[in-house]
């Protein structure tokens, strides 16, 4: 599947798709805004990490036929202390932010998470800096847990 030249609109259908040999370059070209680069690793790093982790599940985010973002979760239904599910990476290209695509992608992801074995909660962490994603996640129903992971703060949503 090749990249489309059509620009997605707010009415575009958002889907999560496997990344293939044919689509990987278009996903690697996606970038966040310069002031967001300290909030998420580049997609190339994420895809490389995913290939070396037995618990990574990752997808490209599309608006109609245009690749617009990337997400990756840690998916470990048989964790030592119970199931472990958390948002490992999430990004929407700077050209497609503030169009509702991120909100739709997270909604699709939460639908997927509800199908996972013994999934009762889904976690994420964020860098608590100005311009960071905390308010976005809170608007989706995630709540702060008070836990800290390095320099990041944890949020949770019940499934």
């Amino acid at each position: 599947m090749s990249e489309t030249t059509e620009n997605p609109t707010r009415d575009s259908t958002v889907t999560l798709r496997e990344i293939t040999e044919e689509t990987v370059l278009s996903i690697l070209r996606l970038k966040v805004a310069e002031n967001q680069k300290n909030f998420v690793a580049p997609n190339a790093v994420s895809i490389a990490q995913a290939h070396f982790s037995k618990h990574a599940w990752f997808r490209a985010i599309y608006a109609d036929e245009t690749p617009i973002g990337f997400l990756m979760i840690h998916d470990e239904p048989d964790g030592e202390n119970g199931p472990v599910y958390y948002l490992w990476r999430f990004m929407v290209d700077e050209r497609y932010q503030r169009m509702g695509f991120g909100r739709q992608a997270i909604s699709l992801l939460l639908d997927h998470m509800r199908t996972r074995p013994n999934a009762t909660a889904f976690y994420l962490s964020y860098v608590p800096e100005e311009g960071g994603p905390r308010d976005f996640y809170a608007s989706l129903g995630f709540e702060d847990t008070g836990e800290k992971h390095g320099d990041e703060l944890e949020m949770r949503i019940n499934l």
Side-chain angles (χ1 to χ4, degrees):
M1 180 179 295
S2 62
E3 285 184 77
T4 180
T5 56
E6 293 181 31
N7 288 326
T9 68
R10 290 184 179 277
D11 296 325
S12 295
T13 300
V14 174
T15 55
L16 305 180
R17 301 184 191 177
E18 286 190 48
I19 298 170
T20 67
E21 181 179 353
E22 293 79 24
T23 63
V24 68
L25 288 177
S26 63
I27 305 311
L28 295 178
R29 289 186 195 109
L30 299 173
K31 306 280 187 245
V32 294
E34 190 64 36
N35 66 339
Q36 298 170 324
K37 288 187 176 182
N38 62 323
F39 299 138
V40 65
N43 292 343
V45 171
S46 298
I47 292 169
Q49 287 177 316
H51 283 287
F52 292 99
S53 170
K54 63 182 178 180
H55 300 296
W57 183 89
F58 61 101
R59 293 291 184 267
I61 305 167
Y62 278 74
D64 291 336
E65 296 303 314
T66 302
I68 56 101
F70 174 85
L71 59 77
M72 181 165 76
I73 65 169
H74 180 95
D75 185 327
E76 187 176 1
D78 301 317
E80 196 172 295
N81 297 313
V84 180
Y85 300 111
Y86 66 85
L87 185 61
W88 191 351
R89 298 283 159 64
F90 177 69
M91 66 81 67
V92 173
D93 186 274
E94 64 181 325
R95 296 168 293 173
Y96 307 112
Q97 293 181 13
R98 302 203 177 278
M99 297 180 74
F101 300 145
R103 182 172 299 279
Q104 291 178 62
I106 294 292
S107 178
L108 291 170
L109 177 59
L110 292 174
D111 288 346
H112 169 74
M113 295 314 306
R114 290 180 184 101
T115 71
R116 302 301 300 138
N118 301 312
T120 59
F122 187 57
Y123 294 85
L124 60 81
S125 62
Y126 66 94
V127 177
E129 293 180 10
E130 187 173 332
R134 188 215 172 273
D135 291 343
F136 169 73
Y137 292 131
S139 75
L140 295 168
F142 285 87
E143 297 178 344
D144 289 299
T145 66
E147 296 293 320
K148 194 170 183 180
H149 301 278
D151 293 334
E152 298 187 9
L153 301 179
E154 181 183 87
M155 296 183 90
R156 165 193 170 126
I157 192 168
N158 291 328
L159 298 172

